[in-house]
Amino acid sequence: MSATQVAASAVPPSPPAIDAASRTPPKKQPYPFWLGGVAATIAASITHPLDLTKVRLQASGDKRMIESIRKTVRTAGARGLFDGISGTWLRQMSYSMCRFWAYDESKKLLGAGKDAPAWKLAAAGSMAGGIAGLVGNPGEIVMVRMQGDFAKSPEKRFNYKNCFDALFRMVKDEGVSSLSRGAVPNVFRAILMNASQLASYDFFKAELLKTPYFSDNIICHFTASFAAGTVATTVCSPADVLKSRIMNASGPGSNSTLAVIRQSMAADGPMFMFKGWVPAWTRLQPTTILIFLTLEQLKNLVDLSRNKGYTYL
């Protein structure tokens, strides 16, 4: 055997080449599209009394939040604080489910990744809001009417039994077009809400994670959602008031946005656009926090179930 052959035999064989594709971690599967709707439904069920009070302040002559709550309990009992809860569920499982799904899809379309600039996130939120505002408009009307019913005199009440009875009677008594009542301010509000709430949550969360003081945990989620709730309340207040007043109207021609603005300006002045801001913030703040905390925990549960081999989520 030659010296060259001996040297070659002394060299250990090279390890087999590792395919580059095998080193690439598998692409993470998207979360179920309905996850946001479930999170929003849970949050809205907990904060329903505050939302009920906000709507009644905006649509009636009630002046203060505590007085409005006392009036509800006095006239309808403690159960009255959950009037129209089925309307709230219908709204969340149509509007909210759609907006979270559309927001994720819009971010993919715009290429808004983890560290996307604020304008891209806001654009994705606006797109999602426009879609969800149209899809969820019937549920929005049902929720507003059912919540505001007992603030009216008995002869003016709708007296819907539940959300399905409300939809049936609206179509029967007012025509299919009634399902689009207030669609313009509702879509406008949905655009503002999603551009401010969803986008600002992602933005604040990303900014917090860049600091050495936060990691991706419940403290970071709470802080980001608190900031997002304040931003969303202020941005959405004018459209929210208009939406409530238009959807609660029932007379011919009363659903005109300009007519409602003129009447409201004459009666309350320009500050009518921020009427109910405190109860709106008091309601939206915990709702925003609960939505995002619940959503993050639901995502953790999905990840856990997938890691354990369950593929139905």
Side-chain angles (χ1 to χ4, degrees):
M1 181 180 293
S2 66
T4 303
Q5 290 175 325
V6 172
S9 63
V11 177
S14 301
I18 299 176
D19 185 10
S22 65
R23 294 198 304 265
T24 304
K27 185 178 180 181
K28 189 173 183 179
Q29 293 296 315
Y31 292 104
F33 73 94
W34 44 262
L35 218 58
V38 173
T41 300
I42 294 172
S45 298
I46 296 172
T47 61
H48 182 79
L50 295 175
D51 197 24
L52 179 78
T53 303
K54 180 208 70 171
V55 170
R56 291 181 175 177
L57 277 170
Q58 292 175 344
S60 70
D62 294 344
K63 300 297 183 183
R64 299 180 182 278
M65 181 177 64
I66 300 300
E67 290 178 5
S68 183
I69 292 175
R70 287 176 177 172
K71 179 181 176 181
T72 299
V73 174
R74 185 171 63 251
T75 56
R79 289 183 59 186
L81 294 175
F82 291 91
D83 284 339
I85 188 69
S86 67
T88 296
W89 292 338
L90 174 66
R91 188 250 189 181
Q92 298 302 336
M93 290 307 293
S94 55
Y95 164 73
S96 289
M97 183 169 64
C98 182
R99 75 182 178 119
F100 277 99
W101 167 81
Y103 180 59
D104 288 337
E105 294 301 314
S106 298
K107 285 196 294 184
K108 294 176 186 176
L109 183 65
L110 296 174
K114 183 178 180 181
D115 295 318
W119 71 266
K120 273 195 176 183
L121 296 174
S126 298
M127 293 167 63
I131 296 170
L134 285 174
V135 172
N137 198 70
E140 192 84 25
I141 299 172
V142 170
M143 182 191 74
V144 169
R145 286 190 174 189
M146 292 183 73
Q147 289 180 354
D149 223 21
F150 276 90
K152 301 178 179 179
S153 55
E155 68 276 5
K156 293 183 179 180
R157 293 175 184 170
F158 295 106
N159 293 317
Y160 297 137
K161 297 177 182 178
N162 50 57
C163 61
F164 301 109
D165 177 56
L167 289 172
F168 175 78
R169 285 176 53 190
M170 282 177 63
V171 173
K172 179 183 176 182
D173 299 339
E174 303 174 49
V176 177
S177 62
S178 65
L179 298 178
S180 64
R181 178 185 286 268
V184 172
N186 188 45
V187 169
F188 181 59
R189 176 193 178 274
I191 291 173
L192 293 177
M193 172 60 73
N194 288 277
S196 58
Q197 187 190 56
L198 297 185
S200 62
Y201 174 77
D202 278 353
F203 175 78
F204 286 126
K205 179 181 174 183
E207 291 300 310
L208 289 171
L209 290 175
K210 292 177 183 177
T211 70
Y213 309 107
F214 290 92
S215 57
D216 195 359
N217 55 26
I218 195 169
I219 297 175
C220 175
H221 304 157
F222 176 88
T223 306
S225 58
F226 185 92
T230 302
V231 171
T233 302
T234 305
V235 170
C236 296
S237 182
D240 205 17
V241 173
L242 281 175
K243 178 206 69 174
S244 294
R245 294 192 177 195
I246 291 172
M247 288 183 174
N248 263 297
S250 57
S254 59
N255 61 339
S256 167
T257 302
L258 290 178
V260 170
I261 291 175
R262 284 196 296 266
Q263 293 168 6
S264 300
M265 287 285 289
D268 303 313
M271 288 306 293
F272 87 91
M273 293 185 293
F274 295 95
K275 186 175 183 182
W277 188 93
V278 172
W281 181 87
T282 306
R283 165 257 172 191
L284 187 60
Q285 194 66 279
T287 299
T288 301
I289 292 171
L290 285 170
I291 285 175
F292 288 113
L293 291 186
T294 304
L295 181 59
E296 297 283 3
Q297 295 308 309
L298 289 176
K299 288 180 178 179
N300 289 339
L301 287 176
V302 171
D303 290 338
L304 180 63
S305 66
R306 288 174 177 174
N307 291 335
K308 289 183 175 295
Y310 301 110
T311 59
Y312 55 84
L313 287 177

